[in-house]
Amino acid sequence: MAETMRKNTEVEARGGAAHSSDESSVMEGERRSGVIQSDEIANPQAGRSGGHSTKPYVIAKRAVWDAYERVKANRGTAGIDDETIAMFEQNLSRNLYKLWNRMSSGSYFPPPVRQVEIPKAKGGTRKLGIPTVADRIAQTVVKQVIEPRLDPMFHPDSFGYRPGRSAKQAIAVTRKRCWRYDWVVEFDIKAAFDQIDHGLLMKAVRSHIKESWIVLYIERWLKAPFETADGSREARERGTPQGGVVSPILMNLFLHYAFDLWMKRNYPNCPFARYADDAVVHCGHKRQAEQLMRAIAERLMECGLTMHPEKSRIVYCQDSNRTELYPHVQFTFLGFTFRPRKAIGKTDRVFTSFLPGVSADAMKRMRHTVRGWLIPRQTPATLAELAERYNPVLRGWWNYYGAFYQTAMRQLARHFDRKLERWARRKYKTLSRHKRRSVEWLAKRRESDPELFAHWSALREQGRTTRAV
């Protein structure tokens, strides 16, 4: 065993993919036949027997198979090896067996992570790390073990990347608390995924995870270098790649100790909602909010993190009952802007409430997407075909952004309908160069078939039930 690990270490130092001597004979068999027999990974039930294994780590083959199915369902792009899921499946049994064998032997070393920079909505770029298909499967094997163990202990007001929890739940909770508390501390952690302290994170991992193979591979994933577009490699001493399968749960574990439990101990009367590195905290008065914001910044610094100076502020929840004037009376959280908005009470009384609605940035992105569809040019298509083509996206937008203050989504509905009117003027000669006729034509279609487009249906339903205008 010592000799095997020595060889693996030598291979890793040379930058190669390590494998055990036990795997060599397996790979020779693969070269002869090209097929793994049914008693191996090709059979998802393999690995469940009670037989003794010569591997230092006991990892069921079924766990690797289940992980592969999850990765396939999530799709995703290729890593540094340019291997897609379809390419990986061309030698599926061999690839899965190879991965299982290396993980079970302790000889699996993650390849470098492909670094991709994507533009942010307000300028700049965000670095994403894209593991290879095989590495995503390996990470999923680990995630399937640690998530059921770690998630139940997380704070109930942590909503990001957790099963059974969602951004919409975080918005709903925050909306109710903004009615009860006058002040909000809004803050964002700058480059949180990139700045996580490995030493502190591994201390938390070891306190909850006793399987040595899981600890081993988490350490290796944290140290796996980035590979940039020009092929150069960047060593990593901090952070976990945003885009890795295990990164979100590691982020939640780190912030569970760095922020959630700290808040519970020191500020139990200030409820919060946190979604990964984005959070809001509620306070009863301004002085408390100011003191808390300083304390949070100091706490994050102690843990090696930084409060984002441009995305953090103290906000007054102004409404009909809270009428004082302060510089900041709105904040944006998870794509929704909370601000004073017009509402109608049960007795049809109009008043001002502090409510969430789709943010200007989110609206801008959706309008940009609609423009990119070039609907007016799609004259060969019928109106029903356009509905079938775009309803999945429209429905997704309305299910999320239309869940709160749906009136704010009317701007997008009008924008989309204007595209349909232009499409109609191009398609039908009787409507050409007649804007009013095209508007009336679409209105008649909307009246005769209100379920045709997702936003037509949603706005029709809103007209029956809404109490906010």
Side-chain angles (χ1 to χ4, degrees), residues 225-236:
F226 275 127
E227 183 169 300
T228 60
D230 61 5
S232 61
R233 294 186 178 182
E234 298 178 0
R236 290 192 298 117

Side-chain angles (χ1 to χ4, degrees), residues 217-291:
Y217 291 131
I218 288 178
E219 284 187 302
R220 290 180 182 175
W221 281 316
L222 292 177
K223 295 176 182 178
F226 275 127
E227 183 169 300
T228 60
D230 61 5
S232 61
R233 294 186 178 182
E234 298 178 0
R236 290 192 298 117
E237 297 180 354
R238 302 180 69 87
T240 179
Q242 187 171 358
V245 176
V246 296
S247 293
I249 195 168
L250 295 180
M251 161 72 82
N252 274 333
L253 178 62
F254 188 87
L255 289 180
H256 175 72
Y257 286 101
F259 178 75
D260 300 355
L261 289 186
W262 177 82
M263 281 291 300
K264 184 178 180 180
R265 287 193 307 269
N266 296 282
Y267 299 93
N269 296 321
C270 294
F272 66 89
R274 181 178 65 78
Y275 195 98
D277 55 353
D278 200 4
V280 293
V281 186
H282 302 268
C283 299
H285 50 81
K286 183 181 179 182
R287 183 177 299 177
Q288 183 185 44
E290 291 172 339
Q291 189 277 330

Side-chain angles (χ1 to χ4, degrees), residues 16-247:
H19 60 270
S20 67
S21 57
D22 186 21
E23 183 183 335
S24 299
S25 59
V26 173
M27 296 178 69
E28 288 173 3
E30 291 169 351
R31 285 192 290 269
R32 289 194 300 268
S33 65
V35 178
I36 300 298
Q37 299 303 315
S38 61
D39 62 338
E40 296 168 347
I41 290 291
N43 178 4
Q45 298 298 327
R48 284 190 167 184
S49 66
H52 297 288
S53 173
T54 59
K55 305 293 184 183
Y57 303 125
V58 179
I59 303 174
K61 294 174 183 175
R62 178 64 191 233
V64 179
W65 179 268
D66 290 344
Y68 149 72
E69 290 188 318
R70 290 196 181 190
V71 170
K72 180 180 180 180
N74 292 334
R75 294 180 293 183
T77 188
I80 63 165
D81 58 0
D82 294 324
E83 184 178 49
T84 64
I85 293 176
M87 295 165 64
F88 184 87
E89 290 178 328
Q90 291 177 4
N91 292 293
L92 180 61
S93 296
R94 183 182 68 182
N95 288 333
L96 291 180
Y97 185 87
K98 184 191 301 182
L99 180 62
W100 169 83
N101 190 51
R102 293 183 180 182
M103 292 188 72
S104 300
S105 302
S107 59
Y108 176 72
F109 288 93
V113 179
R114 178 186 175 194
Q115 185 182 86
V116 177
E117 295 187 358
I118 60 173
K120 293 183 178 180
K122 294 187 177 181
T125 59
R126 175 182 291 108
K127 294 181 180 180
L128 292 183
I130 303 177
T132 64
V133 172
D135 196 45
R136 294 205 297 273
I137 295 173
Q139 291 190 38
T140 303
V141 171
V142 168
K143 181 186 176 184
Q144 290 175 152
V145 177
I146 66 175
E147 187 173 64
R149 192 176 308 171
L150 296 178
D151 190 79
M153 78 172 191
F154 289 155
H155 196 283
D157 286 327
S158 168
F159 293 92
Y161 308 114
R162 296 183 60 190
R165 294 182 177 270
S166 68
K168 284 170 63 173
Q169 291 175 337
I171 296 299
V173 167
T174 301
R175 179 181 61 170
K176 290 182 179 179
R177 289 171 177 168
C178 284
W179 297 336
R180 294 170 47 205
Y181 295 84
D182 293 351
W183 294 88
V184 166
V185 175
E186 170 202 14
F187 74 93
D188 179 271
I189 303 173
K190 187 175 182 180
F193 278 91
D194 298 331
Q195 297 301 320
I196 289 178
D197 184 281
H198 287 178
L200 293 177
L201 175 59
M202 289 310 302
K203 181 179 179 181
V205 169
R206 291 188 178 94
S207 67
H208 295 284
I209 305 301
K210 302 308 177 185
E211 291 88 345
S212 58
W213 65 275
I214 294 180
V215 174
L216 173 70
Y217 291 131
I218 288 178
E219 284 187 302
R220 290 180 182 175
W221 281 316
L222 292 177
K223 295 176 182 178
F226 275 127
E227 183 169 300
T228 60
D230 61 5
S232 61
R233 294 186 178 182
E234 298 178 0
R236 290 192 298 117
E237 297 180 354
R238 302 180 69 87
T240 179
Q242 187 171 358
V245 176
V246 296
S247 293

